[in-house]
């Protein structure tokens, strides 16, 4: 739109929005997407459990601490009343919680007590991740929060023994480089990457924000934050031009950063400079058959395993992507979680070419691609809809999956000695 004024450009986008909305309403009853299996697993010895269904729901994020065998989970029933992109946008009474799931031993689920937080703190969580330094016993949680007018990244230390999360810092720059935060990937106790999914945020531009997603406009970006000096954090833009930048993960070697684009169904793979934290201007791309929401890494895999990382520290396997292939049904659930069901896919991204035995493959074969996706779990929504996050501990034989508008937590178990392609 070179040469157009902001008013003219906005008018064009509004007109496109009206046309797209009309077409969606007209054509959606006649659109038939590829059918997913009712439930499919990549593990021959696998068992699927939906736990805590009667106790909690609306899990958007889950982060595993494989070293300790705990999962930290967000639960927010208020998500039926608010959404950063679509659905309703009422202001519910805060009901969100952080939960601690002992998946390796007792199997218990309990609330994390929030300690030391400001009296006016409101929890409305999106993406989360944990960091544990090599040889350290301290676990730090980084969590994207939309509890105020501007998005923040909340930083807290986790005490597993006492099920407690202690406040460390709330990071924000007033809505500039952390404008529409969605997911976070820490690289130390005081630094992290965070995705910004939109430039045109819904609070200020409700129609334009929706159009930005539908058209796949490349307006999202990744910011890098260093708050070693809490009174003056340093904010820089690490990567830009990403349509609906959502999930993000840094490999355990620190050599690569992956970013999911939910509106265009691809994952960008950047090289990272360990000394400067800069991301490469060039990147590789893996195209998926679903809208990737979150990314994680199976941190139970050994860094020195030649089947996991090559001699240059580049990953060969272990990146987990989760999401839904049907944005229309996900939109339907956002407006009424029990009126319809959105299908779910969890897949592992690997370097090279290989088989995917699922009837609904995680990626389409591309001879020129350096990567492919191998489906781990697929569901047409009948058993567990609207998956947003999957995190794996293959050493213990656990894949833990959360669903934004689902009831309960999906846990897949298998014999870790089982070898699968």
């Amino acid at each position: 739109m070179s040469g157009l004024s902001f008013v003219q450009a906005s008018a064009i986008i509004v007109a496109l929005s009206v046309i797209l909305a009309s077409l969606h309403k007209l054509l959606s009853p006649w659109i038939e997407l590829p059918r997913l299996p009712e439930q499919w697993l990549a593990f021959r010895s696998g068992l699927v459990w939906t736990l805590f269904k009667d106790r909690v729901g609306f899990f958007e994020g889950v982060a595993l601490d494989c070293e300790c065998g705990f999962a930290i989970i967000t639960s927010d029933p208020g998500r039926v009343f608010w959404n950063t992109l679509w659905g309703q946008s009422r202001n519910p009474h805060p009901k969100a919680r952080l939960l601690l799931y002992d998946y390796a031993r007792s199997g218990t689920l309990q609330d994390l007590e929030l300690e030391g937080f400001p009296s006016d703190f409101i929890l409305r969580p999106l993406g989360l991740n944990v960091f544990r330094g090599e040889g350290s016993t301290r676990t730090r949680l980084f969590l994207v929060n939309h509890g105020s007018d501007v998005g923040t990244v909340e930083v807290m230390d986790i005490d597993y023994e006492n099920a407690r999360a202690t406040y460390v810092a709330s990071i924000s720059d007033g809505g500039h480089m952390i404008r529409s935060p969605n997911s976070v990937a820490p690289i130390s106790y005081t630094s992290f990457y965070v995705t910004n999914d939109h430039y045109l945020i819904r609070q200020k531009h409700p129609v334009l924000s929706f159009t930005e997603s539908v058209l796949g406009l490349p307006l999202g970006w990744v910011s890098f934050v260093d708050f070693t000096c809490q009174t003056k954090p340093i904010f820089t833009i690490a990567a830009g031009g990403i349509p609906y930048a959502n999930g993000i993960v840094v490999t355990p070697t620190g050599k690569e950063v992956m970013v999911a684009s939910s509106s265009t169904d691809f994952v960008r793979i950047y090289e990272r400079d360990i000394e400067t934290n800069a991301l490469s201007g060039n990147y590789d791309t893996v195209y998926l058959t679903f809208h990737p929401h979150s990314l994680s890494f199976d941190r139970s895999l050994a860094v020195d395993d030649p089947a996991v990382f090559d001699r240059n520290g580049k990953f060969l396997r272990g990146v987990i992507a989760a999401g839904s292939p049907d944005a229309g049904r996900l939109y339907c659930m956002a407006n009424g979680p029990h009126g319809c069901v959105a299908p779910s896919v969890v897949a592992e991204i690997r370097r090279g070419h290989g088989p995917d035995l699922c009837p609904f493959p995680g990626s389409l074969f591309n001879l020129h691609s350096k990567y492919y996706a191998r489906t781990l779990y697929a569901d047409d929504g009948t058993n567990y809809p609207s998956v947003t996050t999957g995190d794996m501990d293959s050493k213990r034989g656990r894949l833990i999956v959360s669903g934004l508008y689902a009831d309960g937590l999906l846990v897949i178990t298998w014999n870790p000695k089982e070898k699968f392609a």
Side-chain angles (χ1 to χ4, degrees):
M1 297 182 181
S2 176
L4 296 179
S5 68
F6 177 78
V7 174
Q8 290 172 320
S10 298
I12 292 173
I13 294 178
V14 169
L16 288 172
S17 300
V18 173
I19 294 171
L20 288 169
S22 301
L23 287 174
H24 178 269
K25 187 173 182 179
L26 179 66
L27 298 177
S28 58
W30 309 98
I31 296 175
E32 184 70 23
L33 293 175
R35 292 186 177 275
L36 276 80
E38 182 174 328
Q39 192 174 78
W40 188 90
L41 286 176
F43 315 99
R44 290 188 300 273
S45 62
L47 297 173
V48 183
W49 316 83
T50 302
L51 305 179
F52 317 115
K53 191 171 183 178
D54 298 328
R55 291 176 54 190
V56 286
F58 298 92
F59 296 116
E60 175 164 1
V62 55
L64 269 58
D65 185 338
C66 296
E67 187 171 338
C68 297
F70 285 97
I72 301 173
I73 306 160
T74 62
S75 177
D76 185 6
R79 285 304 294 270
V80 299
F81 303 108
W82 72 276
N83 194 295
T84 57
L85 175 61
W86 49 28
Q88 304 181 61
S89 58
R90 283 182 281 163
N91 187 15
H93 181 72
K95 297 178 181 178
R97 303 148 66 191
L98 292 180
L99 302 165
L100 187 64
Y101 173 41
D102 183 354
Y103 70 88
R105 289 168 293 275
S106 66
T108 57
L109 182 75
Q110 56 184 322
D111 282 76
L112 271 172
E113 177 188 354
L114 302 183
E115 183 176 89
F117 284 77
S119 58
D120 59 349
F121 177 74
I122 296 175
L123 180 63
R124 289 184 185 168
L126 272 74
L128 75 163
N129 216 322
V130 296
F131 180 82
R132 174 192 288 272
E134 186 176 353
S136 175
T137 59
R138 181 162 56 118
T139 299
R140 178 159 285 184
L141 176 68
F142 294 74
L143 179 142
V144 173
N145 189 35
H146 282 242
S148 60
D149 291 337
V150 294
T152 62
V153 175
E154 304 296 336
V155 185
M156 58 198 85
D157 286 331
I158 305 299
D159 178 352
Y160 291 128
E161 184 176 351
N162 297 298
R164 183 181 299 127
T166 303
Y167 178 83
V168 174
S170 181
I171 308 298
S172 172
D173 68 342
H176 299 287
M177 292 189 191
I178 300 183
R179 180 180 176 88
S180 54
N182 195 306
S183 297
V184 59
I187 61 166
S188 75
Y189 286 109
T190 57
S191 58
F192 58 86
Y193 294 95
V194 57
T195 57
N196 291 269
D197 53 42
H198 284 73
Y199 177 76
L200 301 165
I201 58 177
R202 185 182 181 190
Q203 294 93 323
K204 297 181 179 180
H205 311 283
V207 175
L208 303 185
S209 177
F210 184 76
T211 302
E212 181 181 332
S213 297
V214 173
L215 296 181
L217 301 180
L219 302 180
W221 70 96
V222 176
S223 294
F224 176 75
V225 182
D226 185 334
F227 63 100
T228 303
C229 177
Q230 285 196 28
T231 59
K232 195 175 181 180
I234 299 171
F235 301 85
T236 56
I237 294 180
I242 309 170
Y244 199 155
N246 201 332
I248 185 170
V249 66
V250 181
T251 61
T253 61
K255 296 292 185 67
E256 293 164 295
V257 174
M258 275 70 73
V259 182
S261 171
S262 295
S263 59
T264 52
D265 300 353
F266 64 67
V267 173
R268 287 186 181 181
I269 302 172
Y270 296 89
E271 293 187 12
R272 172 176 171 263
D273 187 316
I274 296 178
E275 299 298 325
T276 66
N277 299 305
L279 302 184
S280 58
N282 297 322
Y283 52 84
D284 291 329
T285 304
V286 53
Y287 289 91
L288 306 176
T289 56
F290 58 96
H291 311 301
H293 182 280
S294 70
L295 297 173
S296 63
F297 199 94
D298 180 359
R299 292 187 176 270
S300 70
L301 300 173
V303 173
D304 59 356
D305 186 341
V308 180
F309 292 95
D310 65 19
R311 61 184 61 187
N312 296 315
K314 303 293 184 64
F315 86 96
L316 301 175
R317 54 161 300 191
V319 177
I320 311 300
S324 175
D326 192 335
R329 291 191 179 100
L330 197 59
Y331 175 80
C332 176
M333 292 195 76
N335 285 275
H338 303 293
C340 51
V341 293
S344 302
V345 177
V346 181
E348 180 186 18
I349 297 174
R350 295 185 171 190
R351 194 179 298 266
H353 295 91
D356 187 346
L357 302 180
C358 180
F360 188 92
S363 61
L364 297 176
F365 177 76
N366 183 343
L367 185 63
H368 301 289
S369 176
K370 301 178 183 178
Y371 309 89
Y372 72 102
R374 178 185 173 278
T375 306
L376 302 175
Y377 176 80
D379 190 324
D380 65 1
T382 302
N383 297 281
Y384 197 80
S386 66
V387 159
T388 47
T389 306
D391 207 348
M392 188 156 75
D393 181 344
S394 57
K395 186 176 180 180
R396 291 186 174 92
R398 296 289 188 277
L399 174 60
I400 300 178
V401 179
S402 65
L404 180 56
Y405 299 109
D407 295 322
L409 186 71
L410 190 76
V411 179
I412 300 169
T413 63
W414 71 94
N415 183 349
K417 296 181 180 180
E418 174 185 334
K419 301 296 182 181
F420 53 92

